[in-house]
Structure formats: structure tokens, C-alpha cells
Amino acid sequence: MRTIDDLDVAGRRVFVRADLNVPLDGGRITDDGRIRAALPTIAALRERGARVVVAAHLGRPKGKPDPAYTLRPVAERLAELLGTEVAFAADTAGPSAREAVQGLADGQVALLENLRFEAGETSKDDAERGELADRLAGLADLYVGDGFGAVHRRHASVYDLPKRLPHAVGGLVLAEVEVLKRLTEDPERPYTVVLGGAKVSDKLAVIANLLGTADRLVIGGGMVFTFLKAKGYEVGSSLLEADQVETVQGYLRDAEKRGVEIVLPVDVVAAEAFAPDAPHGAVPVDAIPADRMGLDIGPESAKLFAEKVKDSRTVFWNGPMGVFEMEPYSHGTRALARALTESEAFTVVGGGDSAAAVRALGFDEAAFGHISTGGGASLEYLEGKELPGIEALRD
């Protein structure tokens, strides 16, 4: 794949597909990690005299403008971080976008409105996506794919547009792919994968693939209760995907045959309700009360998981250990993150909620080997899938 160093960008309009899908509380950005991750590529293009046209999505609007998902707050934060004005287009590929782009001088930046305000962005119809890609191509001379969090989507701006313009891979995507290659091609062992989050069904394909590459799987979060049920434990009112119990039992048998260690909690924090002020306490996994739900791994499990992380040379972590947004159920995720920072392993935080947790809980991002910007994309890469946005950037 060509990089931006291979492009002659001076005086040319460069379309940068970034990932600026940040969490918002009303109009306030609560975590600007993805915006900061996009800065190096945008800054490098500016320094070389490009006219930078940035595009991204935010949330899941239904193919039409929705003020709740406007990128205007992102434009304001991007301008602050770049230390320069960012022109904001009030539409994605219409008159306002054309005006904003035409007004750019060398080294200046414009941000287009949310790509998903156009139905063609996410359409499964090739012609509909192509029509949007044609309009976007009219705004630029060159294309740079730097939105790693979207490269697993066959979307107009990710897959169709680079086929219409001379293109290159951005620095962020290049760095992400290099890290994932390190995890899949020849990881330093022992290689431990820590999986959390709500649903085991979201992780089935990656678990199946990891049984052939990892030495150890450590399981926490809401998904663990399907594993505990598969082992014969009662899980009270905890999150449970009953239709996946048999599949998980198959994975447990497969792991045993392959010699892959599966590490499950020995205790959980169980509460009477999904609320921070609900009565709660740590209980062994074989004694979860019928009227309580597990909302975090317990203190003994936190110690066990930390030991497993520290006994590793490579660690990939995707998914929190509990409902970290509520303080009483944040301790398992905090303990795991601390163990990663204290480990001598190469540690990768796999994007999404895990990356958000690291920042929300106050950890120094530099203490981890790599924090991914794309949870879904990271998982699909580890599943062994070809990612459409990467495929489209190949020469």
C-alpha cells in the first residue's frame, strides 16, 4: 500500500476518511481520543501544503440529517487541537461541501457533515453507494484512508471512494495494521487475550479463531455468565445468552483439546438491580443468588486476572470486565488496566469500550503498548477477515 509520503499533495485537495465517531453528552464530547488519533495525518498533510478535506461518521443516523449527530462539535474540537480554523460544511456532498472545499487555501482544513446523513454511505446497493462516492470524488484530487474504526465496513467513503481517486493509507491505519500483524503472525508467547463486554455472541467468531493462536483466554464482563452457565453454574438474573450455551460448551471442549487455557472469574460482584446504589457484594461464582445480577468480576478474580496478564509476553484486551461507568462496578476493569500497565508484555487495548474505560478511569495512555481506535475492526482482523477498507487501499 502507498503511504501519504508517496503522494504529491501540495496545492491539491486531499480527502481524508477519518474516524471521528466520538461519544457525546448532548453537544459535549466526553472522549476526544479518536480526534487526537486523527491529528498526525491531518497535520502532516497540512505541513506539505495540502488542502485537507476531512470526512467521518458519527453515531447511527438513519441516512438523513439529524441534529443529534451533527459533526459541528467535532469541527470545533478539531480546530482547537490543530490550532487553526476548520471550515465546517453543513452538508456532506452538496452545495455547502463544495463551497467549503473551494474556499480552502494550501494548508487549510474543512470538515464535511456526517457521512451517514447520506443514505448512500451505508447502502448495500452498489449503485447507491457509487452515486455518493462519485459526488465525494468531485470534492477531491486524492484520497487517504485513515479511519481505522470504519475499515471493516463496505461503505461508500471507505470502500467505493478510494477506487475513484489516487489513494494512500494514512499513518493511523498503517500503525493499527502493523500492531495487529504482530498479534496474528508471530506473537511473543505466552499470548493472552482478555475478552469482556456484554454479549458472547459478538465475540464468537474471534473466540473460534483465537483458539488457534492464543495460549490463554481470560473472560470477564457480561459475556462471562454464558460461560459460567456452560460450566453448570447458576447465574441468577445476570445477563445470559441461553441460545449460546451449547456453542460455548463446544469452545470449552475445543480449548481443552488444543491446550488453550480458559480463565473464568472465581467471584463476581452481584447486585439486586442495575444501579450504582443497589445493594451489592462479592460472591463466589457457584453461589450467585437467584435474585441478583453480576455486574463486575470480584476482587479474587481481579487478582487472578492480573496474575495471568503479568505471566504473559503479549496481551490483547477487548471489552470491560464490568459496568465500569458505575463506580461500584468499575474495580475489575480498573484492576485489569493497572495490571496491563505493570506488565512487561506488549499490551494492546482493542478499541471501543476498553479504550474509553482506560481514559475514563484516568490511566496514562502511554503506559500501554498500543490503544486501538477501532474495536470492531480489530476483532474482525483477529477473526481473519479481509477488511473492505484495507482491501480498497491496496495498489
Side-chain angles (χ1 to χ4, degrees), residues 74-356:
V74 174
E76 293 167 2
R77 183 61 179 146
L78 181 60
E80 288 174 9
L81 292 168
L82 285 172
T84 189
E85 184 181 348
V86 172
F88 181 66
D91 57 32
T92 306
S96 181
R98 289 193 294 274
E99 182 180 350
V101 172
Q102 286 165 3
L104 292 177
D106 296 357
Q108 292 186 331
V109 181
L111 176 64
L112 307 181
E113 183 55 285
N114 194 337
L115 286 159
R116 291 186 182 174
F117 284 2
E118 292 268 359
E121 169 67 358
T122 59
S123 175
K124 290 184 168 57
D125 181 81
D126 292 350
E128 190 175 8
R129 288 200 321 275
E131 188 276 332
L132 174 58
D134 287 339
R135 282 191 283 132
L136 292 172
L139 299 173
D141 306 302
L142 303 167
Y143 176 94
V144 172
D146 207 38
F148 181 72
V151 293
H152 59 312
R153 306 293 190 193
R154 192 176 289 264
H155 289 173
S157 66
V158 175
Y159 180 75
D160 302 272
L161 182 55
K163 297 185 174 187
R164 287 159 165 78
L165 294 171
H167 54 263
V169 62
L172 174 62
V173 169
L174 200 60
E176 295 271 16
V177 170
E178 288 304 314
V179 166
L180 290 169
K181 280 184 179 175
R182 192 167 165 182
L183 294 179
T184 53
E185 293 181 4
D186 190 21
E188 196 174 346
R189 298 184 184 278
Y191 172 27
T192 297
V193 176
V194 184
L195 295 176
K199 292 185 176 180
V200 72
S201 55
D202 292 342
K203 306 273 192 342
L204 287 177
V206 76
I207 291 170
N209 210 47
L210 287 168
L211 289 176
T213 56
D215 300 300
R216 176 187 296 136
L217 297 185
V218 176
I219 311 291
M223 64 184 282
V224 80
F225 298 102
T226 305
F227 275 83
L228 293 174
K229 187 71 172 177
K231 296 273 283 184
Y233 296 116
E234 292 304 319
V235 297
S237 59
S238 307
L239 183 67
L240 173 67
E241 290 183 273
D243 60 332
Q244 301 297 343
V245 169
E246 195 173 327
T247 301
V248 169
Q249 287 171 335
Y251 285 156
L252 292 171
R253 288 191 296 270
D254 192 22
E256 190 173 2
K257 281 183 202 165
R258 292 170 178 259
V260 177
E261 183 184 9
I262 303 283
V263 183
L264 300 176
V266 292
D267 61 347
V268 298
V269 176
E272 288 185 6
F274 188 82
D277 56 354
H280 64 273
V283 296
V285 292
D286 61 357
I288 300 173
D291 62 346
R292 289 202 173 199
M293 62 180 69
L295 297 178
D296 194 12
I297 59 170
E300 294 306 313
S301 302
K303 288 179 195 170
L304 171 64
F305 286 15
E307 286 169 11
K308 297 299 182 180
V309 163
K310 291 177 182 179
D311 177 42
S312 306
R313 296 302 301 166
T314 305
V315 182
F316 174 79
W317 169 34
N318 182 281
M321 297 295 97
V323 187
F324 74 91
E325 299 90 345
M326 298 182 190
E327 197 282 331
Y329 319 120
S330 66
H331 303 292
T333 302
R334 188 187 302 277
L336 180 71
R338 185 178 298 113
L340 263 71
T341 67
E342 295 171 352
S343 167
E344 295 180 5
F346 173 57
T347 56
V348 178
V349 180
D353 288 340
S354 313

Side-chain angles (χ1 to χ4, degrees), residues 105 186 365 380:
D186 190 21
E365 293 181 44
E380 291 203 12

